[in-house]
Amino acid sequence: MIDRLEKEVDMLERHLQVLKMVIESEPIGIVKMSNETGYPHHKVRYSLRVLEEENLIEPSSQGAITTERTQEFVDELDDKIDEISSSLAEMKISETAEAEN
């Protein structure tokens, strides 16, 4: 059950790392991203496809570039991560058990 969550977090981390590279180095291509991150080309390509589907990047002839939506997403990201983090912290069973003792 928790394994799936860990895999999703790892994938999200990769997507965000790819997005950060696009923001910092646009336009940037798959080969350069793969070389700099160590991720295989197919994983970088998948992350780029996910980011494009979310309208956070778009392809150009020189490589991936940001969109009008990118900055809004980045501005909201920290708050969303904090909310999820708080929700996960509330799920801890060990703290609940200690509080009841």
Side-chain angles (χ1 to χ4, degrees), residues 14-15 18 29-31 33-34 37 39-53 57 64:
R14 185 180 76 234
H15 296 337
V18 168
I30 292 172
V31 173
M33 281 191 238
S34 180
T37 62
Y39 293 128
H41 290 197
H42 71 277
K43 289 193 175 194
V44 172
R45 191 175 295 111
Y46 178 72
S47 290
L48 289 170
R49 185 170 52 235
V50 169
L51 294 168
E52 186 178 354
E53 287 171 1
I57 64 162

Side-chain angles (χ1 to χ4, degrees), residues 71-90:
Q71 191 58 51
E72 176 188 349
F73 174 82
V74 170
D75 291 344
E76 296 171 355
L77 181 63
D78 287 349
D79 288 340
K80 288 186 186 262
I81 289 175
D82 287 343
E83 287 174 26
I84 293 167
S85 218
S86 294
S87 294
L88 289 171
E90 291 172 12

